[in-house]
């Protein structure tokens, strides 16, 4: 048996000819993260570039790869930053926040019986849902992908995501009126939403339609970050607007993206030598491209970062299939590249209705866990003669001590309310 250290095995000593395994539906534990505080309010705008902003840009490398459509498969005009994937503890609570504070709409919603092959829902194998929310069509708007894993109502957050930045000053009074926390950093309002995510609010920039400015992330080494995102992936370096240049703990920063009018990624190094911690709530950035293979090949050939998933086709029931590859940068941030043809067919807004009754029956969004049969009537793990074991050595010892030399094992993720 090759068992994850977080998976807990409940074994009953019984006479069985074989070891029978009941695989867990989840793989790792979770806990809650909270964040708070509030001083005064002062708007920041996308005004003149700050003195500390990067003044030069990094020219993307020329592409020599031609895809099946006859167009350059890297860095062509179809490159777009699409969305950020977030794990949430309650879809109902998250939708209340996004709809009422930012005016987002549910663009599409999908329910899945088993975990995503490309780990879109994280390293979990059970039922989950995906909900895309934003201001409009995903061809023109950066959006959020909200992933909910049934049975998990909270995750431990790390220090990786500093904040999301939106040009939406009207969100501040809405958040206050609805009882959400608004804190301030260097005079800039930071709205704190469900699951502890932070949203820096700035003024819109003249001529920029995209209201979502980008995602601010911690970097442990900006030089390596620049080498990977600009040198390997081919993003361009952009100046940081003055309204955001002082946020994120100070220190050096790097802003990258595909185009000036799209959402960007801003990496900050606070200079505290603290490593990046993705914990369990970590998300990923998704990008549309003409073909995913060149990005996968570039990551493999350079040896920087890593590959979570080589190119794979993902089906969505009743909708278009998409081809994706999942890479990681030197700090472990996950990057999804998805073929644009299939994705834009899949991403047509259907304004799906969420089946709340189904979610309640599955124990979702804070609802009670669905009933489950106990391993042995009237007993709990570790009680009534049912020992709890962890790891291969303990399992083999238990089996060898049984009269038949075998044991009947039941797996239970004790941190998952649907499994306990």
């Amino acid at each position: 048996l090759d068992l994850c250290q977080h998976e807990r095995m409940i074994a009953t000593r019984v006479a069985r000819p074989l070891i029978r395994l009941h695989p867990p539906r989840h793989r790792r534990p979770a806990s809650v993260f909270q964040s708070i505080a509030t001083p005064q309010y002062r708007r920041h705008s996308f005004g003149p570039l700050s003195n500390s902003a990067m003044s030069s840009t990094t020219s993307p490398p020329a592409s020599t790869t031609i895809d099946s459509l006859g167009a350059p498969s890297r860095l062509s005009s179809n490159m777009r930053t699409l969305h950020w994937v977030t794990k949430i503890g309650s879809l109902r609570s998250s939708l209340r926040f996004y709809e009422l504070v930012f005016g987002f709409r549910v663009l599409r919603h999908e329910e899945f019986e088993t975990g995503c092959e490309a780990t879109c829902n994280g390293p979990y194998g059970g039922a989950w849902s995906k909900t895309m929310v934003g201001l409009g069509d995903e061809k023109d708007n950066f959006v959020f992908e909200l992933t909910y894993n049934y049975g998990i109502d909270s995750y431990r957050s790390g220090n990786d995501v500093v904040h999301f930045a939106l040009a939406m000053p009207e969100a501040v009074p809405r958040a206050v009126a609805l009882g959400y926390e608004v804190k301030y950093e260097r005079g800039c309002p930071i709205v704190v939403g469900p699951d502890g995510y932070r949203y820096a609010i700035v003024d819109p920039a003249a001529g920029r339609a995209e209201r979502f400015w980008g995602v601010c992330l911690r970097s442990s080494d900006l030089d390596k970050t620049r080498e990977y995102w600009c040198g390997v992936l081919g993003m361009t370096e952009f100046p940081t607007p003055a309204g955001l240049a002082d946020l994120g703990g100070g220190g050096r920063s790097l802003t990258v993206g595909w185009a000036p009018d799209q959402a960007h990624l801003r990496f900050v190094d606070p200079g505290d030598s603290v490593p990046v911690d993705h914990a369990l709530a970590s998300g990923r950035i998704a990008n549309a491209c003409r073909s995913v293979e060149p990005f996968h090949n570039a990551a493999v050939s350079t040896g920087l970062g890593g590959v979570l998933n080589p190119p794979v086709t993902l089906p969505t029931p009743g909708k278009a299939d998409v081809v994706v590859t999942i890479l990681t940068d030197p700090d472990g941030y996950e990057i999804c590249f998805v073929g644009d043809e299939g994705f834009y067919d899949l991403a047509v807004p259907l304004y799906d209705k969420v089946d709340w009754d189904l979610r309640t029956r599955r124990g979702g969004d804070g609802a009670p866990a669905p009933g489950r049969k106990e391993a042995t009537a009237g007993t709990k793990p570790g009680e009534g003669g049912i020992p709890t074991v962890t790891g291969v050595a303990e399992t083999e010892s238990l089996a060898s001590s049984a009269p038949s030399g075998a044991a009947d094992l039941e797996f239970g993720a004790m941190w998952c309310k649907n499994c306990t």
Side-chain angles (χ1 to χ4, degrees):
L1 300 176
D2 183 13
L3 302 173
C4 170
Q5 62 177 336
H6 299 296
E7 291 170 357
R8 189 165 181 178
M9 301 181 299
I10 307 166
T12 307
R13 296 183 183 181
V14 292
R16 292 284 189 273
L18 298 173
I19 292 181
R20 188 174 65 210
L21 302 180
H22 307 278
R25 289 185 289 177
H26 306 297
R27 299 177 189 156
R28 299 195 303 191
S31 60
V32 186
F33 170 83
Q34 293 178 334
S35 160
I36 19 198
T38 53
Q40 305 171 24
Y41 168 79
R42 176 167 64 86
R43 282 189 194 170
H44 277 219
S45 65
F46 281 121
L49 299 177
S50 66
N51 293 331
S52 61
M54 303 291 183
S55 57
S56 62
T57 58
T58 302
S59 299
S63 172
T64 57
T65 304
I66 302 300
D67 69 9
S68 60
L69 301 178
S73 56
R74 284 184 66 192
L75 313 178
S76 57
S77 59
N78 66 302
M79 295 301 307
R80 181 169 182 82
T81 308
L82 295 170
H83 56 257
W84 181 267
V85 181
T86 61
K87 298 187 189 75
I88 58 171
S90 168
L91 181 59
R92 192 181 294 274
S93 297
S94 294
L95 289 186
R96 177 182 185 271
F97 174 76
Y98 287 120
E99 290 176 345
L100 299 183
V101 174
F102 294 121
F104 291 173
R105 297 185 63 182
V106 173
L107 303 174
R108 50 193 177 97
H109 173 81
E110 293 138 15
E111 297 276 346
F112 300 89
E113 297 296 327
T114 58
C116 174
E117 187 176 351
T119 62
C120 304
N121 61 315
Y124 304 98
W128 66 290
S129 68
K130 175 173 68 177
T131 311
M132 311 302 293
V133 297
L135 292 173
D137 195 308
E138 293 172 65
K139 283 186 177 180
D140 304 307
N141 296 272
F142 188 88
V143 305
F144 280 116
E145 177 180 312
L146 310 178
T147 61
Y148 178 83
N149 289 290
Y150 284 96
I152 307 177
D153 292 334
S154 64
Y155 300 88
R156 183 177 70 83
S157 294
N159 62 6
D160 50 356
V161 179
V162 180
H163 60 246
F164 304 104
L166 294 96
M168 196 176 291
E170 64 270 26
V172 176
R174 292 177 187 166
V176 172
L178 291 165
Y180 294 103
E181 193 161 11
V182 179
K183 59 189 300 184
Y184 296 80
E185 185 176 325
R186 299 178 184 269
C188 179
I190 308 286
V191 177
V192 182
D195 302 293
Y197 294 119
R198 295 155 35 100
Y199 306 82
I201 307 300
V202 297
D203 283 340
R208 180 184 169 97
E210 176 63 76
R211 302 291 293 276
F212 202 116
W213 188 86
V215 186
C216 183
L217 306 170
R218 174 184 280 262
S219 168
S220 65
D221 187 327
L222 281 181
D223 293 330
K224 288 184 178 179
T225 298
R226 179 184 288 106
E227 182 182 3
Y228 184 84
W229 290 85
C230 297
V232 177
L233 300 185
M235 279 189 169
T236 298
E237 187 174 341
F238 292 98
T240 300
L244 295 171
D246 296 330
L247 301 184
R252 300 167 58 215
S253 69
L254 167 72
T255 299
V256 298
W258 300 115
D261 58 347
Q262 294 183 20
H264 294 156
L265 296 176
R266 178 174 175 248
F267 294 92
V268 296
D269 180 0
D272 54 12
S273 300
V274 175
V276 175
D277 176 17
H278 298 287
L280 299 179
S282 59
R284 69 172 50 154
I285 191 72
N287 308 272
C289 58
R290 190 58 63 86
S291 173
V292 307
E293 283 80 4
F295 294 96
H296 168 262
N297 295 342
V300 171
S301 64
T302 61
L304 294 174
V307 177
L308 283 183
N309 292 90
V312 61
T313 299
L314 299 180
T316 298
K319 298 183 180 180
D321 295 347
V322 294
V323 179
V324 306
T325 188
I326 312 298
L327 312 177
T328 58
D329 85 339
D331 275 321
Y333 287 105
E334 297 182 10
I335 310 114
C336 171
F337 285 97
V338 55
D340 61 354
E341 280 192 296
F343 177 80
Y344 288 129
D345 286 342
L346 171 68
V348 173
L350 299 178
Y351 308 106
D352 298 313
K353 300 295 183 182
V354 178
D355 188 340
W356 296 110
D357 290 338
L358 169 67
R359 297 182 68 82
T360 298
R361 291 194 301 272
R362 287 181 165 180
D365 313 311
R372 66 187 297 269
K373 185 179 179 181
E374 291 288 345
T376 301
T379 61
K380 295 182 180 180
E383 298 179 0
I386 303 180
T388 298
V389 296
T390 343
V392 177
E394 290 184 14
T395 305
E396 291 177 343
S397 175
L398 177 67
S400 63
S401 64
S404 65
D408 187 27
L409 304 180
E410 178 173 323
F411 294 89
M414 304 307 291
W415 41 266
C416 171
K417 70 179 187 184
N418 287 0
C419 294
T420 54

